[in-house]
Amino acid sequence: MTERVNLVAVSKYHTEKDILAAYSVGQRHFGESRVQELQIKHQNLPDDILWHFIGHLQTNKVKYIIPYIYIIESVDSLKLLREIEKCAAIYDRKVNVLLEIHVARESTKTGLSISQCRELLADGEWKEMSHVCICGIMTMATNTEDIDILKEDFRTAYDFYKEVKQEFFYDNDDFSIRSWGMTHDYLVACDNGSNQVRIGTAIFGDR
Ligand SMILES: *Cc1c(COP(=O)(O)O)cnc(C)c1O
């Protein structure tokens, strides 16, 4: 059985003209990683674009994107989740989020460790948050061309997704997104549990 994979066109550092070119052939999901850049693009581009926030998000900037953001893929702390809940309540919105986990071997990558993510979920405070919808897991693999390492990273994320699905979201259809795979590793990602890829370079060229 082949599952559908959602394509997020990662448009960070690319122009509004480039985004409109993709939009005109039907692309609606776009990914941005900086608040200021997203604010400007959101103002100037069509309203039916589904904006994914994929970069590290500071709590003091959450309020700027809450009125229109479709999904925040990079939730890496309880503090950030609380701020999203607080701001979304003010705007009377329900905001989709993914929990970003760190599986890569580089220490530079952001995200919750698997044990931190387990703790966040086990703690249960999120269950009282009526303005956030936890829709799945996001991750980035090690920055390498080594397929065995990529595979292992994606498998770690996929196994964790399944564990969390079973333990906390078995009766919740919203929790279904596995967001992994970028330009250089999306084929390996799709073979290893991904149902959402975030691709920039292969669509728009070098940044
Ligand atoms: C930039 C970025 C991507 C896309 O990377 P490409 O290699 O250009 O496809 C995907 N995910 C995140 C979190 C990014 O920051």
Side-chain angles (χ1 to χ4, degrees):
M1 191 195 82
T2 316
E3 198 184 349
R4 264 185 68 91
V5 174
N6 186 38
L7 170 64
V8 180
V10 175
S11 48
K12 63 184 186 204
Y13 306 112
H14 291 286
T15 63
E16 290 167 8
K17 191 164 162 262
D18 287 340
I19 295 174
L20 281 172
Y23 180 90
S24 72
V25 293
Q27 181 66 28
R28 289 296 178 271
H29 292 261
F30 289 89
E32 289 285 336
S33 59
R34 295 190 311 173
V35 169
Q36 209 184 353
E37 185 177 344
L38 174 56
Q39 288 285 92
I40 296 167
K41 286 175 173 172
H42 162 256
Q43 273 170 28
N44 296 338
L45 290 164
D47 275 342
D48 63 342
I49 288 181
L50 303 167
W51 293 107
H52 293 233
F53 195 84
I54 62 171
H56 180 67
L57 182 57
Q58 290 170 270
T59 49
N60 63 352
K61 294 196 175 156
V62 170
K63 57 178 177 286
Y64 300 119
I65 63 170
I66 285 296
Y68 63 85
I69 199 73
Y70 172 67
I71 187 167
I72 298 170
E73 296 202 18
S74 43
V75 172
D76 58 1
S77 71
L78 181 57
K79 185 178 165 223
L80 179 57
L81 198 60
R82 283 180 184 140
E83 183 65 16
I84 295 168
E85 167 66 20
K86 195 182 102 189
C87 294
I90 292 169
Y91 287 94
D92 198 23
R93 287 200 69 200
K94 190 151 188 167
V95 172
N96 300 316
V97 304
L98 302 181
L99 300 174
E100 181 182 356
I101 60 164
H102 176 105
V103 297
R105 287 141 209 235
E106 300 100 342
S107 54
T108 50
K109 295 263 168 75
T110 51
L112 295 153
S113 70
I114 280 185
S115 61
Q116 285 170 330
C117 191
R118 255 191 214 115
E119 259 171 55
L120 186 155
L121 290 165
D123 160 78
E125 186 178 327
W126 60 274
K127 291 178 187 165
E128 311 303 320
M129 299 180 181
S130 52
H131 301 88
V132 296
C133 178
I134 300 180
C135 298
I137 299 291
M138 184 271 240
T139 201
M140 268 187 279
T142 306
N143 185 13
T144 177
E145 298 295 328
D146 185 327
I147 290 180
D148 292 328
I149 293 176
L150 294 172
K151 222 181 206 171
E152 214 178 296
D153 287 355
F154 292 138
R155 279 281 142 189
T156 302
Y158 193 27
D159 288 345
F160 182 65
Y161 166 87
K162 287 186 277 192
E163 173 195 317
V164 166
K165 176 75 183 167
Q166 193 173 11
E167 194 166 340
F168 300 101
F169 297 98
Y170 60 95
D171 59 350
N172 180 340
D173 292 338
D174 292 325
F175 190 88
S176 59
I177 299 175
R178 283 101 56 192
S179 179
W180 49 83
M182 312 175 18
T183 293
H184 79 284
D185 60 12
Y186 73 91
L187 288 175
V188 185
C190 291
D191 280 341
N192 292 279
S194 170
N195 62 4
Q196 175 166 287
V197 293
R198 308 175 310 266
I199 297 185
T201 308
I203 296 173
F204 297 111
D206 287 328
R207 285 182 289 273

